[in-house]
Amino acid sequence: HIIIDCTRMKRFLTVEKEEEDNTETNAIKKAKIKRKYPSTFLTVNVNGLLSKINSPDKWKEKQTLLTYLRSANADVISITETWIPGNGSSGGSSSKKYTQPYSNDGTNKSYRESANGIESLLDSNGFLRKYARYYNCFHQKSAGVLTLVNAEEVEKPNRVRLRFTNEDKGEEEWPGRVIECQFGDDEDANRLVVLSTYSPNNGSGAESRERRRRWDDSVLKRLTQLRKEGVDFIWNGDLNVAPDGIDVKFDDIKAMENKKASDPDYGVAGFTRNEQRRFQNILEASEASDAYRVVNGERRSYTWRAYTVNKVGGKVFNTVNPGMRLDLMVVSKNLKSKIQRCYHATDDLPDTEAMKMPMEKFFGSDHCAVHLELKNMDNDNNNNNSEENEENEKETNATKEKDASDPSDRGPRSIEAIE
């Protein structure tokens, strides 16, 4: 007698179908990986992205920056001071047409080559190809913001615009300064706005101080509007303000503070009493929080460094290796409880080493990167089943390093859906 194990035979005969089912299941799982809301963010002032790409003597700066970005693998990367000339830019004009990094008609060779350089850099690095790219450009020696969104991990923003509100002058008044990405449509009660800015320097003259005041008023208006609408937001970038005394390192800090008490415009740009007061007003009116302080208390750490002395009011402050915390992550009230980490690239170094501005942390710039990590907002907002939440998060973490199979969804090569 021959005994046949039907169970084993059935398993053998159906293995091909099982493989097909597994393939389908894996495809479904991979499709679930893409989240609606980003949860990891990085901002860095590179002090001239284009020059790092085009200058042979800055090859090391470019490579260390790319290595750092690859290691971070953030959902949203906000790069400020890109110094990429805008479409048709001739040097300093502030036309809203100058926000894209190339000439639409293709006739301006130098700017077309600049655009090709940026795109070639992004395309030549496998990990950067997955990022959708949104530019606000101006001039080859001024301003510029580039926001990268990891389109393999996160759905691309529903809306991108280069101004604070529909009513303001937008690109005309603040060229190369603002990129706002909205994740989720206007009907989405849980939509998230990521506002990336390169705030103008306060300067030392009346005209530049007035310009900075108008900027702060614009930010205040926008973030307050988002609060009233119940929209979560993250305001990040080089905000060019050191919020408090613990956010600066100057040898003559006491003398400077004493003078500031009687003159609210006195001090190093970014550290005047008027700038600090307006920043605090923005936080209070929008019910927002400085994420670094939420996590790190009164820790002293600086995102900007310099080997310079500082002239203030005609007096030279003999400051060696000054530092200021100018690059910030500001989060709305609802996101405060979702903060998991917020840190500077140099937080793992003693101050004596950080002040040397090591290449692997500063990439030839005078700023280091700032990171923010939030809890997974998709789980909080869209799922009520805790077991499903846990399983989805495990799937996401397990496949974090895998490439998406559809290269057509890597995102645009320039701004799209702009208002």
Side-chain angles (χ1 to χ4, degrees):
H1 298 278
I2 299 175
I3 300 175
I4 299 177
D5 186 339
C6 295
T7 302
R8 294 181 61 186
M9 181 63 71
K10 181 179 180 181
R11 185 181 301 124
F12 174 78
L13 293 173
T14 59
V15 66
E16 184 175 346
K17 186 176 188 306
E18 283 186 7
E19 288 179 355
E20 290 176 358
D21 291 343
N22 287 338
T23 301
E24 184 178 354
T25 301
N26 290 337
I28 293 174
K29 285 184 177 181
K30 183 162 286 189
K32 288 182 179 179
I33 293 172
K34 188 170 290 191
R35 290 168 283 119
K36 189 172 185 178
Y37 307 103
S39 59
T40 58
F41 308 83
L42 181 156
T43 185
V44 59
N45 179 321
V46 296
N47 198 23
L49 178 63
L50 188 60
S51 63
K52 286 177 171 51
I53 295 171
N54 292 341
S55 302
D57 59 337
K58 294 188 176 183
W59 180 87
K60 188 175 182 180
E61 296 179 7
K62 178 177 70 174
Q63 292 304 313
T64 54
L65 173 61
L66 293 175
T67 299
Y68 190 90
L69 295 181
R70 177 191 292 273
S71 176
N73 195 35
D75 292 335
V76 177
I77 300 174
S78 299
I79 301 175
T80 59
E81 265 204 280
T82 57
W83 292 5
I84 303 173
N87 173 21
S89 172
S90 59
S93 180
S94 57
S95 167
K96 62 182 179 180
K97 297 179 181 179
Y98 299 166
T99 54
Q100 297 188 43
Y102 51 82
S103 176
N104 286 338
D105 58 14
T107 58
N108 192 317
K109 181 180 178 181
S110 63
Y111 299 129
R112 187 171 69 250
E113 289 176 349
S114 297
N116 290 339
I118 296 293
E119 293 300 315
S120 295
L121 171 70
L122 298 176
D123 284 333
S124 64
N125 291 271
F127 81 102
L128 282 177
R129 283 201 299 270
K130 63 188 179 183
Y131 283 89
R133 307 151 194 184
Y134 305 97
Y135 299 89
N136 192 341
C137 303
F138 178 46
H139 184 250
Q140 61 186 353
K141 283 292 182 181
S142 177
V145 181
L146 169 61
T147 296
L148 305 175
V149 177
N150 188 340
E152 288 185 357
E153 300 284 346
V154 181
E155 293 180 10
K156 289 183 289 186
N158 293 62
R159 184 180 69 204
V160 178
R161 64 182 180 190
L162 310 180
R163 58 187 184 275
F164 292 113
T165 67
N166 291 332
E167 293 74 29
D168 66 16
K169 295 181 180 179
E171 302 106 294
E172 295 184 17
E173 184 167 10
W174 310 118
R177 299 281 179 183
V178 182
I179 297 180
E180 181 182 291
C181 296
Q182 177 178 298
F183 296 87
D185 57 37
D186 290 337
E187 285 69 42
D188 186 350
N190 299 310
R191 63 189 184 276
L192 171 69
V193 165
V194 179
L195 179 63
S196 302
T197 69
Y198 173 47
S199 300
N201 191 287
N202 191 60
S204 57
E207 184 177 348
S208 61
R209 288 197 295 264
E210 172 60 21
R211 182 168 183 255
R212 177 56 186 263
R213 185 195 63 74
R214 294 198 312 272
W215 167 272
D216 290 339
D217 287 346
S218 294
V219 175
L220 172 65
K221 179 180 179 181
R222 180 54 180 153
L223 296 189
T224 302
Q225 178 185 22
L226 292 173
R227 176 189 64 78
K228 291 179 179 179
E229 294 175 356
V231 178
D232 288 330
F233 61 82
I234 297 169
W235 173 33
N236 76 108
D238 179 357
L239 307 192
N240 255 323
V241 61
D244 207 340
I246 62 174
D247 298 311
V248 299
K249 177 188 176 185
F250 291 125
D251 292 341
D252 300 285
I253 184 66
K254 289 185 179 179
M256 197 180 300
E257 289 279 25
N258 290 337
K259 179 66 175 176
K260 283 173 60 179
S262 59
D263 183 355
D265 283 322
Y266 180 86
V268 175
F271 189 53
T272 66
R273 193 153 61 92
N274 272 339
E275 290 173 275
Q276 293 174 314
R277 176 182 55 78
R278 290 195 298 266
F279 179 74
Q280 291 303 321
N281 287 344
I282 291 172
L283 295 188
E284 292 173 8
S286 62
E287 298 182 355
S289 299
D290 180 344
Y292 190 82
R293 287 285 164 241
V294 171
V295 175
N296 299 285
E298 295 187 354
R299 174 177 182 168
R300 289 182 176 270
S301 182
Y302 316 104
T303 64
W304 171 86
R305 300 274 185 165
Y307 295 109
T308 61
V309 297
N310 295 271
K311 291 184 177 180
V312 181
K315 179 182 178 181
V316 175
F317 285 84
N318 296 312
T319 299
V320 180
N321 299 116
M324 302 178 76
R325 192 172 69 93
L326 301 176
D327 307 82
L328 310 175
M329 293 280 185
V330 173
V331 301
S332 57
K333 182 178 180 180
N334 189 47
L335 296 182
K336 183 178 178 180
S337 62
K338 294 180 172 62
I339 300 173
Q340 292 188 312
R341 297 178 70 198
C342 186
Y343 61 96
H344 303 157
T346 56
D347 278 356
D348 61 342
L349 300 176
D351 191 65
T352 52
E353 292 300 315
M355 68 167 55
K356 298 175 183 178
M357 297 189 289
M359 179 67 70
E360 66 273 15
K361 303 289 188 179
F362 285 82
F363 333 113
S365 176
D366 49 359
H367 294 250
C368 72
V370 182
H371 297 253
L372 174 67
E373 298 177 7
L374 301 178
K375 296 177 182 177
N376 191 323
M377 291 177 61
D378 286 72
N379 288 346
D380 290 342
N381 294 332
N382 297 327
N383 295 307
N384 294 319
N385 188 308
S386 60
E387 293 182 1
E388 183 179 350
N389 291 352
E390 187 175 347
E391 184 62 29
N392 285 344
E393 191 162 0
K394 285 180 180 178
E395 291 175 3
T396 299
N397 293 334
T399 55
K400 188 77 174 176
E401 301 300 324
K402 291 183 179 181
D403 291 332
S405 58
D406 184 6
S408 65
D409 197 32
R410 287 174 180 158
R413 292 297 180 263
S414 62
I415 295 172
E416 64 174 34
I418 282 199
E419 290 185 356

